[in-house]
Amino acid sequence: MIDPHVHLRDGEERHKETVRHGLMLAGKLGLSAVFDMPNTRPPVLRRDDVLRRLATAKAAAGNVFYGLYCGLTADPEQVAGAVDCVREFEQVVGLKLYAGQSTGNLAVPDSSSQKKIFRMLAEKNYRGVLAVHCESEEFFQPELWDRDHPLTHTMVRPPASELHAVNTILETAIQNSFEGILHICHISLPESVKMLEIAREKADFPITCGATPHHLLLHDMMMENPEGLLLKINPPLRSKKDREGLMQLLLQGRIDWIETDHAPHLKRKTRRTLRLRCARLPRFAAFNTCPPRAGRR
């Protein structure tokens, strides 16, 4: 079993999570591999960053394969170097594009820069995995956020943000002759899955998607509870109807991966203690949920 989406921080955020601790947990859960995301501090963007992370994973030892994604920016030289990292290192499992801001500063939110990235990947004959965080910042409404009412986070990043980003990324990939494997991370809406299915009919490359346990099992109104702030995530929890629809698609084999998006954050910080927030999720890990389609790696 593989968890293809984890955040093992180290660096400036080792108080949240570390590679050593994350791999230890993965081993106890019976995972054979985890794939780590690049929005760390400092981020994983270049060969030196990759070497540093691989050295950290090697020092952690254990029997769990440590894979990682190399992040993408709007800098052509950086994109070219990231592609080279995928080809050089077996443990670099793909590239990661943030189409909207999440944790860290790796977002490439404008469509013109996104098109340039896809054109560069085509020019470099990139045929590996490109994982994308799909949220369009033009739909964000940060002024609506009210810490005392955590449910407002669902309005700050509304469903239209994900739907627009998914549609844009799919069209951009098709129009710019992408030749790799396009993976849409942590889908939270049934409509997003249906967009992917339509795009597969037009695309000459594999398109996959993943869903998280929290988007499959929790819904937005749970944020009205006293500890609702602990359910603030990106993309946000959706309606009960959306949650149920997403679960049905999973049971029908129309969602390719369950990915935990494991990302502990600080609950409280004092002078003497740093307490980590632990998500209250079921004891199962991410895995491929349906047989591979032709062309999928």
Side-chain angles (χ1 to χ4, degrees):
M1 292 198 297
I2 300 170
D3 188 341
H5 194 137
V6 301
H7 296 269
L8 309 181
R9 305 295 184 178
D10 283 282
E12 297 174 22
E13 296 183 304
R14 63 177 294 106
H15 51 275
K16 293 183 177 181
E17 179 61 295
T18 64
V19 170
R20 181 183 296 276
H21 183 255
L23 291 179
M24 179 193 71
L25 290 177
K28 288 185 176 182
L29 287 169
L31 290 175
S32 56
V34 298
F35 298 163
D36 196 9
M37 292 297 164
N39 58 332
T40 51
R41 257 184 222 171
V44 180
L45 296 174
R46 296 174 175 80
R47 190 175 187 274
D48 287 347
D49 304 321
V50 169
L51 289 171
R52 183 180 66 252
R53 296 292 286 182
L54 294 183
T56 301
K58 184 177 181 180
N63 298 318
V64 178
F65 175 85
Y66 175 79
L68 74 158
Y69 289 90
C70 196
L72 292 177
T73 69
D75 176 12
E77 184 177 341
Q78 186 277 322
V79 174
V83 170
D84 291 339
C85 285
V86 176
R87 291 171 176 164
E88 180 180 357
F89 300 102
E90 179 186 8
Q91 287 172 275
V92 180
V93 297
L95 305 174
K96 177 67 181 285
L97 171 63
Y98 290 85
Q101 193 73 31
S102 183
T103 301
N105 298 302
L106 279 185
V108 184
D110 59 293
S111 58
S112 60
S113 294
Q114 293 170 7
K115 289 176 184 177
K116 290 178 183 178
I117 288 174
F118 276 98
R119 283 199 294 267
M120 279 205 63
L121 295 179
E123 292 169 5
K124 294 279 289 182
N125 297 312
Y126 179 71
R127 293 182 170 84
V129 175
L130 174 63
V132 187
H133 177 119
C134 283
E135 288 186 285
S136 290
E137 292 187 10
E138 62 188 273
F139 290 87
F140 288 3
Q141 301 183 70
E143 69 279 2
L144 297 179
W145 170 241
D146 180 353
R147 182 183 175 85
D148 294 327
H149 298 89
L151 185 61
T152 56
H153 182 59
T154 65
M155 295 180 278
V156 172
R157 294 173 179 249
S161 172
E162 176 175 307
L163 296 174
H164 182 269
V166 169
N167 184 62
T168 299
I169 289 296
L170 291 171
E171 288 187 353
T172 303
I174 292 171
Q175 293 170 2
N176 290 276
S177 304
F178 181 67
E179 297 181 285
I181 301 168
L182 182 63
H183 177 74
I184 307 300
C185 300
H186 45 52
I187 273 183
S188 67
L189 295 162
E191 292 88 344
S192 295
V193 179
K194 293 167 186 176
M195 280 185 184
L196 265 65
E197 293 176 334
I198 294 172
R200 286 182 183 129
E201 300 298 320
K202 301 184 290 183
D204 294 326
F205 53 88
I207 303 173
T208 64
C209 66
T212 69
H214 42 278
H215 287 120
L216 290 163
L217 299 174
L218 309 177
H219 59 83
D220 56 1
M221 296 310 295
M222 292 178 175
M223 298 182 76
E224 293 282 70
N225 295 327
E227 293 191 342
L229 190 62
L230 299 184
L231 300 180
K232 181 176 178 285
I233 51 177
N234 300 325
L237 296 179
R238 303 302 185 188
S239 70
K240 189 174 182 180
K241 180 180 178 181
D242 287 330
R243 183 208 70 77
E244 291 171 350
L246 204 63
M247 178 62 80
Q248 286 302 311
L249 292 173
L250 175 72
L251 296 175
Q252 294 166 10
R254 295 162 67 182
I255 294 175
D256 305 283
W257 292 87
I258 296 174
E259 47 193 30
T260 66
D261 200 1
H262 171 77
H265 279 61
L266 289 175
K267 181 178 180 181
R268 181 179 299 139
K269 182 177 179 180
T270 68
R271 291 182 180 180
R272 294 185 179 182
T273 63
L274 290 172
R275 297 176 59 190
L276 295 181
R277 181 184 71 179
C278 297
R280 299 173 179 175
L281 298 177
R283 290 180 60 81
F284 64 85
F287 53 89
N288 192 256
T289 60
C290 60
R293 297 185 182 86
R296 181 187 300 168
R297 188 172 70 180

